[in-house]
Amino acid sequence: MKSKKSLSIICAIAVTLSTLVGCSSNTAGSSSGTVVVTLIQNKVEIQSQLEAAAKTFNESQTGVKVQVLGSTGDNLVTTLQSQFASAPAKAPTVFTCQSGSEFDKFFKYMAPMDSAKASKNIAKGQKDDAMKNGKLYGLPLAIEGIGLIYNKAIFKAAGVDPTSIKTMDDLDAACAKVAKVKGIVHPLAFSKETYFQFMHPFNWPFAVMSNYKEVIPKVISGQLKLKDVPEVKQFANDLTKLKPYTNLALDSYDDQVAGFAQGKYAMIHQGNWAQSIIDQYKVKFDYGMIPMPVNGNTSLAVGNTNFFHVNSAATKEQQAGGIKFLDWLLTSPAGQKIVTNEFKVIPAYNGFDTSKLPVLAQEVSKYSKSGKTVPWTFNLFPAGVDKDCTSAMQEFYAGKIKTDQLLDQIQEVWKNAAQK
Amino acid sequence: MNKKVKGKITTALFVIPSLFVFINVVIIPFIMGTVYSFTNWDGFAFKGSSFVGFKNYSDSFGDGKFLSSFWLTTKYTIAMIILVNIIGLSLAILVTSKIKYKNFFRGVYFVPNLIGGLVLGFIWQFIFTKLFQSIGEMTHTSKIFFNWLNDPTMAFWALVIVGVWQMSGYVMIIYIASIQSISEEVLEAADIDGANKWSIFKNITLPLIAPGFTISLFITLSNAFKQYDTNLSLTNGGPYGKTELITMNIFQTAFSSNKYAQAQAKAIMFFLVIMVITIIQIYITKKREVEM
Amino acid sequence: MNEKVKGKGKSKSPKIIVILGFIVAAITLFPMYIMVVNSFKGREQIFTDTLGLPKSLDFSYYLAAINKMNFFQALFNSLTVTIISTVIIVVLSSMTAWALVRSSSKIADIILMIFIVTMLIPFQSVMIPLMQYMNSWDISSINFSMINTFYGLIFMNVGFGSSLAIFLYHGFIKGVPRSLEEAAMIDGCNKFQIFWKIVFPTLKPVTATVAILNVIGIWNDYLLPSLVLRDPNLRTIPLATFYFFGEFTIQWNMAMAGLVLTILPVIIFYLFSQKYIIKGFMAGAIK
């Protein structure tokens, strides 16, 4: 019968096709001694450049073949989770994950990396988050800096000298002047994503403390009330005063940067990664980065959350191959050039030529080289608090809760999150 | 061979392939997940986990957000069921009637369903935020046209609107198939008898498409309860975490808070509740079905 | 039976309904318009002038998207997985539903219930156990693996798609009179012949529905393929579009171009299968 015949033809084709494709997909396992190393990461901005780098590396030698896999931002953790849960040996050889709770989560699959050449050149303070029990378990790629990206032309028109902003009150005064400039909708803009709305701003009060490593655990356990920590209380009060000059964190990251590029916002609280987006607007004004003057602070918050780790369940040859690639990328002249010129990131290492880096990266580099940096402390915040704390921030900005309530809510979220 | 036994074997042959795949892809992992929910599984290899009884279940109740997102999902589902079925049925009637361009309409109304939920959420996010804002500013109707996603109530309705937009075409197709299966003789007979269009619809069409209604109700119910993709891309649970539906809450519990076993417990409870609700629903609607 | 007699009413229906129909159509297509229109714009124009038509038909974003996504490879992959999965689902589910509905045993009812009830299980809760379990099916000596292969993904798609398909089939089969089947049985046909020659053709409307629903669901599926397929050259289209969706930012113009490319095959399929559906509906109406 007609339909039965065509059905059987379809089935025949189906089976043939699937076996064909099923065969061609197998690349794991070596052919004649070449070790295949897989690498996965989720910074979409450097994905294609990384693939090109791998190609160059593969062509430059014959022992190791690097295959770059891909993933979207939030899907990476899910993917890694499921692969490590089912067959760790087949999970990617080199993978990235965030410091803090993700690091702890995947720690049992990380191999020590002290043998890497690159580990000797890591810039000051940048390897702490990947150290455990005295050994190094990850290699950073880039450092990033957070601060206030500001429009130099608007500052000039408002008569504000960026170097004069040394306290939060100075910032308020500057905002008042800037607000009068034509075209300004808000002097200062935050963006609404969880990390940008809560984690990064709330980093400042802790980052300027010398003993944040003791304070944060005490807050989490409830020993210390968040609203009794003077730096934090002060910051929350400062934010309340600053609020009227801001966009109340109502914009998405895209819109926040768009607003900056169009001259609607004079300052945005962001990191140097915004560079690639600003570039797409081909802005005509000069811009730079200044610190958030919390407690008289004059440093940018510099840190790094993305480390490359090596899968300890992979074969010894694969692990060595992964380290070989990373060393090539981070210590060889060819690799280093790719990092600065193609990835356009600020290397977390000494010995790089950073002169070709774009504007914001240069600013961060400047502060970093002169030691004017404060750390990223939010890696010590408990896992998964970003979402609920951001909800509290939203209520705060909407005027529904005041500083004490805000701090109490944040602490409540931290306490709940830390309970097993 | 005994004809009856032969019959049973043939039946088995018809059923076993699906059953085999289904058991291995759905049933077994589900059982595994259920077992995990009674342990302190850390999300990785199961070896080394120990039983903790009902701890994960009781902990879930301690999580206030679990209960509130459950309640929110219920409200969302009710709104969806009502709107999607009314609109879907109306569209189906429109498209099976004698009006001009009906084929074009039928084609167009189904298009939203072609797009994945994730993508949909992004596009509609843009509409509810920037587009609404500019319309409001331009026409001075900012009381109606503002950034809906910044207000908990409007954000909820935004979710409903997108869900309805996406699912109406789907449900429309089910109703079309249902309407088309009504024999013309019955309709003709009623028409000859002098019944007007509305009474034909009420007394003949509606009861005869009852199977379609059962199916569509069940599908809308299950899809609405399980909603995740659009929730993620449209509101991401905001503002203030007030539009976090239940699947998102479960996902967060697992992957963000690292409480994998507890997430499994939540999922099991979620599943049980829906199962009870839908069994009740099917039981009630089946009673009213007219089988030919 | 004359089609014109069906659904009898005034052949000239009120203009208002037609107008209403067009308004609904416009609302329906509006997001699509936004997608297409913005796939030709530079990033700036997208933010400043979102509603408007593009300044020029700049196809460069499409070219860039095709390039970055390795589009044609991804297209082939998506087609393979989608078509094969759907065909298998249709064949197996229709057979199973029919056998279960016609059988009068308690077991059949229970099995049917199980299929239907499990539609409610959210995928996220079985995701990791599923991966663990499928991984254990590896036989490396003959290079057999459920992970990172198309047949593995297809197997899982069939598993997940069966519930809804069986549910839909069972609902309609109940409305198909047994008389024809009984007549055929008396004539000496075996069950396979009865099913394929007599029953299946009457199921055309449902088959069309099941086919479309699965084609769309599987085509657009991101999560499951992202966990099963690892090789870059196995990527299906949703996986390939990830390039434009970064963690905090979306390259909108490229993303839009990529999304339009993603939807185009489904729309084409839909336009073609529509004609088939009409035939199917008509055939089904002629009992």
Side-chain angles (χ1 to χ4, degrees):
Chain A
M1 206 194 112
K2 241 216 283 191
S3 61
K4 205 166 179 193
K5 229 194 182 177
S6 42
L7 201 60
S8 43
I9 295 181
I10 294 179
C11 286
I13 299 180
V15 173
T16 327
L17 267 180
S18 49
T19 42
L20 273 179
V21 189
C23 287
S24 66
S25 73
N26 189 13
T27 49
S30 37
S31 49
S32 65
T34 319
V35 177
V36 175
V37 163
T38 46
L39 183 150
I40 196 169
Q41 62 96 38
N42 67 347
K43 264 194 173 340
V44 176
E45 305 81 33
I46 59 172
Q47 176 74 14
S48 352
Q49 293 89 332
L50 196 53
E51 288 172 3
K55 197 154 165 255
T56 314
F57 173 74
N58 292 339
E59 285 162 3
S60 73
Q61 46 77 51
T62 53
V64 178
K65 181 159 175 255
V66 172
Q67 189 187 35
V68 178
L69 310 174
S71 166
T72 51
D74 0 295
N75 196 255
L76 178 60
V77 174
T78 318
T79 311
L80 283 179
Q81 176 78 36
S82 108
Q83 293 193 22
F84 280 121
S86 37
K90 295 210 233 149
T93 322
V94 180
F95 62 96
T96 62
C97 72
Q98 307 272 310
S99 328
S101 62
E102 272 179 38
F103 176 80
D104 293 331
K105 174 151 70 171
F106 292 115
F107 177 69
K108 53 181 158 185
Y109 298 106
M110 293 182 191
M113 299 174 76
D114 298 288
S115 58
K117 266 196 286 181
S119 66
K120 317 275 181 286
N121 299 338
I122 302 181
K124 173 175 103 81
Q126 295 312 321
K127 66 167 145 189
D128 298 344
D129 284 341
M131 298 285 291
K132 200 155 173 152
N133 309 327
K135 293 210 211 163
L136 181 70
Y137 286 91
L139 286 180
L141 175 66
I143 51 171
E144 297 170 310
I146 303 174
L148 296 170
I149 303 180
Y150 72 103
N151 183 326
K152 291 190 183 175
I154 294 186
F155 265 42
K156 214 157 148 208
V160 174
D161 173 14
T163 55
S164 70
I165 303 182
K166 294 207 191 344
T167 66
M168 290 299 275
D169 287 333
D170 289 339
L171 185 58
D172 276 344
C175 283
K177 283 197 200 160
V178 165
K180 305 204 179 100
V181 177
K182 183 157 160 236
I184 289 286
V185 176
H186 296 290
L188 173 57
F190 292 94
S191 100
K192 70 177 176 182
E193 287 80 2
T194 60
Y195 267 72
F196 297 153
Q197 184 169 172
F198 174 72
M199 303 294 259
H200 294 175
F202 261 79
N203 177 50
W204 294 108
F206 292 102
V208 300
M209 283 179 218
S210 51
N211 60 341
Y212 71 89
K213 290 200 186 161
E214 284 98 43
V215 173
I216 293 183
K218 285 208 187 124
V219 171
I220 295 177
S221 67
Q223 260 185 297
L224 195 52
K225 281 213 191 307
L226 193 57
K227 58 188 176 196
D228 292 334
V229 181
E231 291 91 341
V232 179
K233 180 86 190 268
Q234 181 65 43
F235 178 66
N237 285 337
D238 287 333
L239 258 190
T240 312
K241 273 197 278 172
L242 199 54
K243 246 177 39 174
Y245 295 117
T246 72
N247 68 338
L248 304 180
L250 289 174
D251 287 306
S252 68
Y253 174 43
D254 276 331
D255 286 340
Q256 180 204 32
V257 182
F260 178 73
Q262 292 158 357
K264 295 198 192 140
Y265 304 138
M267 290 180 272
I268 53 175
H269 185 276
Q270 265 303 343
N272 66 291
W273 49 72
Q275 181 79 58
S276 54
I277 307 199
I278 298 180
D279 283 344
Q280 293 189 27
Y281 288 97
K282 305 193 190 357
V283 297
K284 306 226 181 7
F285 52 84
D286 282 337
Y287 53 95
M289 202 188 267
I290 50 175
M292 186 81 151
V294 174
N295 239 12
N297 166 55
T298 53
S299 305
L300 293 180
V302 170
N304 138 65
T305 54
N306 237 0
F307 285 82
F308 283 107
H309 306 282
V310 168
N311 182 1
S312 58
T315 67
K316 288 263 176 287
E317 294 81 22
Q318 284 175 310
Q319 293 183 33
I323 294 190
K324 194 167 164 202
F325 172 65
L326 291 174
D327 272 339
W328 173 84
L329 190 65
L330 300 165
T331 61
S332 79
Q336 289 189 339
K337 239 171 107 187
I338 294 181
V339 173
T340 51
N341 299 359
E342 307 293 331
F343 296 177
K344 298 205 174 106
V345 295
I346 312 166
Y349 298 86
N350 305 320
F352 269 77
D353 170 15
T354 57
S355 55
K356 297 265 181 32
L357 286 177
V359 173
L360 292 178
Q362 295 247 9
E363 291 273 71
V364 175
S365 217
K366 193 174 69 179
Y367 278 81
S368 167
K369 287 192 178 153
S370 55
K372 291 183 106 58
T373 66
V374 290
W376 286 8
T377 65
F378 48 81
N379 292 326
L380 291 182
F381 298 176
V385 296
D386 53 308
K387 214 155 183 223
D388 291 335
C389 287
T390 304
S391 304
M393 290 298 286
Q394 287 171 317
E395 287 186 73
F396 167 74
Y397 278 122
K400 295 195 177 178
I401 57 177
K402 301 254 185 325
T403 54
D404 275 357
Q405 286 166 291
L406 171 68
L407 297 179
D408 279 341
Q409 277 192 21
I410 293 177
Q411 178 153 26
E412 197 54 36
V413 173
W414 287 19
K415 267 179 45 197
N416 286 340
Q419 274 168 3
K420 259 300 156 173
Chain B
M1 201 189 277
N2 184 346
K3 200 153 194 210
K4 222 174 175 218
V5 174
K6 196 165 174 216
K8 282 212 190 281
I9 294 183
T10 328
T11 307
L13 282 177
F14 268 60
V15 175
I16 286 184
S18 307
L19 210 52
F20 174 74
V21 179
F22 182 70
I23 290 181
N24 282 295
V25 174
V26 179
I27 302 291
I28 293 187
F30 182 65
I31 295 179
M32 284 167 72
T34 312
V35 171
Y36 288 2
S37 71
F38 292 104
T39 68
N40 60 357
W41 179 53
D42 65 352
F44 290 102
F46 186 60
K47 216 160 60 147
S49 311
S50 39
F51 282 91
V52 294
F54 281 92
K55 181 168 181 295
N56 291 316
Y57 288 85
S58 48
D59 282 349
S60 306
F61 284 105
D63 179 1
K65 299 195 68 203
F66 178 53
L67 296 169
S68 61
S69 50
F70 201 91
W71 174 230
L72 189 75
T73 314
T74 309
K75 285 198 280 192
Y76 170 76
T77 304
I78 294 176
M80 282 283 285
I81 290 180
I82 297 176
L83 291 171
V84 166
N85 277 287
I86 293 180
I87 295 181
L89 183 57
S90 313
L91 292 180
I93 294 174
L94 184 88
V95 151
T96 51
S97 70
K98 281 297 299 146
I99 64 170
K100 233 172 144 197
Y101 305 120
K102 64 175 180 172
N103 288 336
F104 168 73
F105 288 148
R106 177 184 57 205
V108 165
Y109 295 151
F110 190 67
V111 171
N113 207 245
L114 299 174
I115 309 182
L118 213 55
V119 170
L120 225 52
F122 285 126
I123 300 181
W124 277 96
Q125 186 194 102
F126 167 78
I127 292 178
F128 282 117
T129 55
K130 311 212 57 215
L131 194 62
F132 269 30
Q133 257 175 307
S134 16
I135 294 182
E137 279 162 29
M138 282 201 294
T139 62
H140 301 289
T141 49
S142 297
K143 273 265 168 352
I144 311 175
F145 286 106
F146 57 94
N147 182 344
W148 278 24
L149 298 187
N150 278 336
D151 175 273
T153 317
M154 301 319 282
F156 171 79
W157 287 107
L159 260 180
V160 173
I161 290 179
V162 179
V164 170
W165 184 83
Q166 187 185 24
M167 285 215 60
S168 297
Y170 186 123
V171 160
M172 174 188 79
I173 293 233
I174 295 179
Y175 280 127
I176 290 179
S178 216
I179 292 177
Q180 304 261 227
S181 66
I182 298 178
S183 140
E184 291 107 40
E185 292 144 353
V186 178
L187 290 169
E188 266 192 14
D191 198 48
I192 290 176
D193 278 350
N196 69 35
K197 277 179 63 181
W198 172 245
S199 103
I200 291 183
F201 178 70
K202 199 164 80 110
N203 298 315
I204 299 183
T205 317
L206 264 190
L208 284 183
I209 61 172
F213 178 64
T214 308
I215 295 179
S216 144
L217 189 59
F218 178 70
I219 290 183
T220 325
L221 195 75
S222 55
N223 276 359
F225 257 112
K226 291 193 297 178
Q227 174 63 262
Y228 178 67
D229 286 354
T230 308
N231 190 200
L232 182 69
S233 53
L234 185 66
T235 65
N236 200 14
Y240 323 148
K242 294 266 194 284
T243 59
E244 186 176 274
L245 298 179
I246 188 76
T247 310
M248 178 173 278
N249 177 271
I250 295 179
F251 207 80
Q252 278 278 95
T253 312
F255 293 92
S256 291
S257 307
N258 287 342
K259 296 183 183 167
Y260 291 91
Q262 191 184 104
Q264 290 292 141
K266 286 184 178 179
I268 303 285
M269 288 194 283
F270 174 49
F271 167 71
L272 287 173
V273 170
I274 300 185
M275 185 170 75
V276 168
I277 295 180
T278 41
I279 287 183
I280 296 177
Q281 177 249 307
I282 293 185
Y283 182 67
I284 295 179
T285 45
K286 261 181 177 240
K287 275 186 122 177
R288 306 176 68 221
E289 261 182 46
V290 176
E291 250 218 277
M292 293 264 277
Chain C
M1 196 77 75
N2 196 341
E3 196 202 14
K4 282 215 197 296
V5 179
K6 193 170 162 58
K8 194 162 185 287
K10 300 207 287 261
S11 49
K12 222 179 157 184
S13 35
K15 284 251 164 85
I16 257 218
I17 297 196
V18 179
I19 293 181
L20 200 65
F22 272 108
I23 294 182
V24 175
I27 297 178
T28 309
L29 292 182
F30 179 63
M32 241 66 71
Y33 163 77
I34 299 249
M35 263 174 59
V36 173
V37 145
N38 283 297
S39 63
F40 293 108
K41 296 183 188 162
R43 195 178 190 118
E44 257 191 84
Q45 210 201 343
I46 292 187
F47 279 98
T48 51
D49 174 28
T50 328
L51 268 184
L53 292 168
K55 295 198 182 130
S56 60
L57 284 182
D58 186 355
F59 279 97
S60 65
Y61 298 116
Y62 278 94
L63 288 178
I66 289 182
N67 211 355
K68 257 199 155 168
M69 285 164 69
N70 199 0
F71 181 70
F72 292 105
Q73 173 74 54
L75 183 64
F76 171 77
N77 296 341
S78 278
L79 281 172
T80 312
V81 171
T82 305
I83 294 179
I84 298 178
S85 304
T86 305
V87 166
I88 298 181
I89 290 176
V90 164
V91 169
L92 292 185
S93 304
S94 58
M95 285 167 64
T96 304
W98 180 70
L100 287 178
V101 171
R102 291 298 182 235
S103 149
S104 37
S105 66
K106 263 286 172 200
I107 304 182
D109 284 343
I110 296 180
I111 295 181
L112 210 49
M113 248 302 122
I114 294 182
F115 268 112
I116 294 176
V117 150
T118 50
M119 267 173 70
L120 307 168
I121 302 178
F123 176 67
Q124 286 83 354
S125 64
V126 296
M127 176 163 97
I128 298 196
L130 174 66
M131 290 302 128
Q132 291 177 317
Y133 181 52
M134 288 287 110
N135 234 291
S136 66
W137 280 25
D138 259 27
I139 311 176
S140 38
S141 48
I142 54 170
N143 228 349
F144 176 85
S145 172
M146 293 300 268
I147 305 290
N148 207 24
T149 57
F150 278 169
Y151 55 84
L153 181 58
I154 291 173
F155 188 80
M156 293 185 229
N157 278 333
V158 171
F160 286 111
S162 302
S163 292
L164 178 60
I166 289 179
F167 177 62
L168 291 174
Y169 272 120
H170 120 276
F172 280 82
I173 288 177
K174 283 185 356 201
V176 175
R178 288 182 161 217
S179 42
L180 289 170
E181 300 167 40
E182 278 156 14
M185 268 207 287
I186 294 173
D187 278 352
C189 292
N190 67 38
K191 284 222 168 131
F192 278 96
Q193 291 170 312
I194 296 178
F195 181 73
W196 288 111
K197 284 193 181 173
I198 298 178
V199 183
F200 193 72
T202 65
L203 299 177
K204 283 210 176 84
V206 202
T207 299
T209 309
V210 167
I212 294 180
L213 295 180
N214 277 294
V215 162
I216 293 172
I218 297 175
W219 185 271
N220 285 323
D221 191 11
Y222 178 82
L223 196 45
L224 181 61
S226 76
L227 299 175
V228 176
L229 302 174
R230 303 195 188 159
D231 270 342
N233 42 321
L234 292 185
R235 282 182 196 143
T236 56
I237 292 199
L239 296 187
T241 49
F242 82 85
Y243 278 108
F244 316 123
F245 290 85
E247 190 164 3
F248 295 111
T249 181
I250 304 174
Q251 279 173 274
W252 278 112
N253 47 354
M254 300 261 265
M256 292 300 190
L259 293 174
V260 171
L261 287 171
T262 309
I263 297 181
L264 223 47
V266 188
I267 291 194
I268 295 178
F269 163 75
Y270 176 62
L271 289 175
F272 276 112
S273 67
Q274 263 222 86
K275 296 190 191 160
Y276 184 62
I277 294 173
I278 301 175
K279 287 200 192 139
F281 283 160
M282 280 171 59
I286 305 172
K287 287 230 183 37

